[in-house]
Amino acid sequence: MQSSLSLSFASSSSPLMPRSSTHTFELVSISSPKQLNFRFCGLRREALGFTALRRPNESHGAQSWSGRRNCKKLLASLSGNGSPSKGFDYDLVIIGAGVGGHGAALHAVEKGLRTAIIEGDVMGGTCVNRGCVPSKALLAVSGRMRELQNEHHMKSFGLQVAAANYDRQGVADHANNLASKIRNNLTNSLKALGVDILTGFGSVLGPHKVKYGKDNVVTAKDIIIATGSVPFVPKGIEVDGKTVITSDHALKLEFVPDWIAIVGSGYIGLEFSDVYTALGSEVTFIEALDQLMPGFDPEISKLAQRVLINPRKIDYHTGVFATKVTPAKDGKPVIIELIDAKTKEPTDTLEVDAALIATGRAPFTQGVGLENINVVTQHGFVPVDERMQVIDANGNLVPHLYCIGDANGKMMLAHAASAQGISVVEQVTGRDYILNHLSVPAACFTHPEISMVGLTEPQAREKGEKEGFEVSVAKTSFKANTKALAENEGEGLAKLIYRPDNGEILGVHIFGMHAADLIHEASNAIALGTRIQDIKFAVHAHPTLSEVLDELYKAAEVNVHVSSPVNEPVAV
């Protein structure tokens, strides 16, 4: 939760201005308050019960009261959730109230748009209810269990701990309670801002027109489709929700099997392997490609396999498809039939207690009315341009219609969806802002964690060959970091992929303690176009894990010493 105070006003003729710096006011014109940053007028804090609005060194005198009084005037002027454009019920209607839709709605109201959000299921979408949020609750438990079970690790601190155990229902309740809390927070934040929450399945009827529920129709100047995704289940796999499950079912933790097969070794599969092995299960990975963790940088994958797979009760089959998975019934186990991914010849049959299908996610775009606007999906994804504007079957942009998040397939991450939603709001309010997807970080919350941003080393070298530039790599180890050693967590690696001719950061990959938190310094550097020769002068507190990145930048050898901007980031 941010704590600075920044109010910015701009007339309709004024260009868009950056937000004012921390603890300052920037008053340019109040004749037309269309550009408002009222994050700290109590709107975002209201849902969580915060009411204080005072700069740290400011007294309770006239200046402080004046600031609060001006803030109240702003709130009063915006209490109606903006005034819609002429001829429309709303300036913006968002179909889908997941993280992407929520982020777009918050930013839209901040920009003065009258906004409505349509939700046909539950507030928060996949991430909050069946994804990122409850899975982190389970992973928090697995992390603690793993530490308590590691007798050698505890003795190294001089600690003696009795045998650790867990209550399955208590663990499941923790995940469910967290999801419920975050869901309520999202709902309260929208209500506090005056966003209209429309309940019912939403679909596009035509230009500027949206239907929700049975027969309700609203109009809007602009429409965003943010309907998210569902677990992808390949043909031949029978999901019963009990012994053959998807991540949706697994997050309920209705039972902990002695032996579970996980089909797919990407983010979802890896995280659940961390949970199940910490709770006592044996795990078998089934991966179609020739190596585990195919989406990660190869060097990071090898190290992660040595730490996350090999020492644990995990075995694996690579280069095979699970062509048929039959749920357990009549006293028989779950049966999994495997074939060679290349020859398609049968290779093995597994009998396990349960199977988790973690083969990715599929866009949820059926029934959203795309046929009414002549839009044809590509493998279920809604085609969009770099501004998230929808493209019809003839290759033309559909005016005033946008699609964000998993539904467009550009980057299937909750925070990417939110960033895309914010970029759309910037577009419709007059600023040509394009999100650079290469600056969007990703993380896998295993123990230790994996994080990344930008290109992998093979991708960077391929790009370098095509565009004619050299690629270099720098690395640092967590074993040289004081904070990591104090925690007895020296297992880890940070890797920087860059251009030695100009210092451009092409990619950063981290495996180690709190990697998911550390990656954002690199992510922001890429987003801002910061060069290595500049960022290596940044000061990091000692002793902290952030010094892993400090050492990483200092280890890079850049041929130029004169600071100059990197080329503008391109949208991907």
Side-chain angles (χ1 to χ4, degrees):
M1 184 66 66
Q2 303 177 65
S3 60
S4 62
L5 176 60
S6 172
L7 302 178
S8 175
F9 303 81
S11 66
S12 58
S13 60
S14 301
L16 292 170
M17 301 175 298
R19 293 171 183 161
S20 55
S21 61
T22 304
H23 306 309
T24 64
F25 293 89
E26 181 180 11
L27 303 179
V28 180
S29 168
I30 59 173
S31 60
S32 178
K34 292 185 177 180
Q35 175 72 10
L36 302 173
N37 180 5
F38 49 83
R39 287 181 189 271
F40 316 115
C41 294
L43 289 175
R44 298 211 178 191
R45 293 183 168 209
E46 182 179 329
L48 299 177
F50 294 104
T51 56
L53 178 66
R54 184 161 52 92
R55 289 181 287 186
N57 299 322
E58 192 173 55
S59 69
H60 289 278
Q63 282 187 323
S64 177
W65 169 247
S66 175
R68 290 196 294 272
R69 183 175 56 194
N70 289 336
C71 187
K72 288 180 179 179
K73 288 181 179 179
L74 282 175
L75 289 172
S77 68
L78 290 168
S79 60
N81 181 16
S83 299
S85 302
K86 272 191 174 182
F88 300 107
D89 298 319
Y90 296 96
D91 293 310
L92 179 66
V93 167
I94 304 163
I95 304 174
V99 172
H102 179 264
L106 294 188
H107 196 59
V109 176
E110 183 173 320
K111 302 287 280 189
L113 302 183
R114 180 163 175 78
T115 306
I117 193 164
I118 299 172
E119 181 52 65
D121 187 14
V122 287
M123 186 65 64
T126 294
C127 175
V128 172
N129 298 285
R130 301 174 297 277
C132 337
V133 171
S135 67
K136 298 309 153 298
L138 296 183
L139 285 159
V141 173
S142 72
R144 284 162 176 75
M145 279 295 294
R146 202 171 292 285
E147 188 170 22
L148 291 172
Q149 291 168 342
N150 190 335
E151 186 178 354
H152 175 74
H153 179 73
M154 299 306 289
K155 279 186 176 181
S156 67
F157 290 112
L159 299 177
Q160 296 178 355
V161 180
N165 208 338
Y166 67 92
D167 169 39
R168 182 201 59 78
Q169 189 58 54
V171 176
D173 288 345
H174 173 53
N176 183 62
N177 292 339
L178 178 63
S180 179
K181 181 176 181 179
I182 301 301
R183 181 169 60 247
N184 290 336
N185 287 348
L186 293 184
T187 303
N188 291 338
S189 65
L190 291 174
K191 288 180 178 178
L193 285 167
V195 174
D196 289 346
I197 301 174
L198 309 178
T199 303
F201 188 85
S203 62
V204 180
L205 288 181
H208 306 290
K209 192 177 292 186
V210 175
K211 175 185 175 183
Y212 70 96
K214 286 188 177 181
D215 301 306
N216 305 301
V217 177
V218 293
T219 60
K221 183 180 178 182
D222 293 288
I223 300 167
I224 296 178
I225 297 171
T227 48
S229 63
V230 295
F232 171 70
V233 179
K235 292 181 179 179
I237 296 178
E238 181 185 345
V239 174
D240 67 348
K242 296 179 181 179
T243 58
V244 179
I245 58 178
T246 67
S247 56
D248 285 2
H249 309 105
L251 289 167
K252 298 176 183 177
L253 201 70
E254 292 183 344
F255 83 112
V256 178
D258 291 333
W259 184 12
I260 184 169
I262 300 180
V263 183
S265 64
Y267 294 87
I268 299 173
L270 272 180
E271 289 186 351
F272 274 107
S273 75
D274 195 287
V275 171
Y276 281 120
T277 52
L279 298 183
S281 300
E282 294 184 23
V283 171
T284 295
F285 272 119
I286 299 170
E287 173 57 55
L289 298 180
D290 291 333
Q291 66 178 43
L292 295 174
M293 297 172 275
F296 300 89
D297 181 88
E299 187 172 8
I300 296 295
S301 292
K302 289 180 181 178
L303 177 58
Q305 182 171 333
R306 181 169 65 81
V307 177
L308 301 177
I309 305 293
N310 296 345
R312 300 178 181 177
K313 294 181 179 179
I314 300 176
D315 66 350
Y316 52 88
H317 300 261
T318 57
V320 294
F321 287 127
T323 56
K324 188 175 182 180
V325 179
T326 306
K329 54 186 174 182
D330 301 328
K332 296 180 181 178
V334 174
I335 299 174
I336 304 174
E337 298 178 17
L338 304 179
I339 65 169
D340 187 277
K342 296 176 182 177
T343 66
K344 304 301 186 290
E345 294 294 323
T347 59
D348 204 351
T349 299
L350 303 180
E351 294 184 353
V352 295
D353 299 309
L356 168 62
I357 312 305
T359 47
R361 299 187 64 83
F364 182 68
T365 53
Q366 289 187 346
V368 298
L370 298 174
E371 66 281 359
N372 297 327
I373 44 176
N374 192 33
V375 172
V376 178
T377 61
Q378 299 172 357
H379 303 290
F381 296 105
V382 177
V384 296
D385 70 353
E386 70 276 9
R387 293 173 175 82
M388 308 302 125
Q389 191 165 356
V390 174
I391 301 171
D392 69 16
N394 299 319
N396 301 316
L397 295 175
V398 180
H400 303 285
L401 183 64
Y402 302 83
C403 180
I404 64 172
D406 289 5
N408 70 32
K410 279 185 172 288
M411 199 171 206
M412 299 179 79
L413 297 169
H415 50 280
S418 182
Q420 290 173 2
I422 290 170
S423 74
V424 168
V425 172
E426 289 293 301
Q427 292 289 336
V428 302
T429 53
R431 181 189 176 199
D432 188 23
Y433 171 70
I434 299 175
L435 174 66
N436 175 18
H437 285 80
L438 288 177
S439 71
V440 178
C444 185
F445 295 84
T446 48
H447 297 90
E449 296 174 343
I450 309 171
S451 64
M452 66 218 71
V453 65
L455 304 175
T456 64
E457 184 177 346
Q459 289 171 339
R461 294 200 181 281
E462 181 180 357
K463 181 180 176 68
E465 289 179 7
K466 288 182 179 179
E467 300 182 12
F469 61 81
E470 185 182 347
V471 173
S472 292
V473 173
K475 303 173 191 175
T476 56
S477 171
F478 278 62
K479 292 177 181 178
N481 180 267
T482 301
K483 182 66 184 300
L485 293 178
E487 299 279 353
N488 279 332
E489 296 285 354
E491 193 73 73
L493 173 73
K495 179 177 181 179
L496 169 66
I497 304 159
Y498 66 99
R499 288 182 58 165
D501 61 331
N502 67 359
E504 180 181 0
I505 300 172
L506 300 175
V508 174
H509 303 262
I510 307 173
F511 174 68
M513 185 182 187
H514 295 303
D517 299 309
L518 295 175
I519 196 63
H520 296 95
E521 181 176 327
S523 171
N524 291 335
I526 293 176
L528 297 173
T530 307
R531 299 169 63 128
I532 294 171
Q533 58 266 37
D534 295 324
I535 200 172
K536 67 168 54 179
F537 290 107
V539 179
H540 298 72
H542 175 76
T544 63
L545 292 172
S546 69
E547 291 176 292
V548 169
L549 285 178
D550 185 34
E551 293 299 323
L552 188 63
Y553 300 136
K554 287 178 169 61
E557 297 180 358
V558 181
N559 298 333
V560 295
H561 300 287
V562 180
S563 177
S564 60
V566 174
N567 291 335
E568 285 293 318
V570 295
V572 177

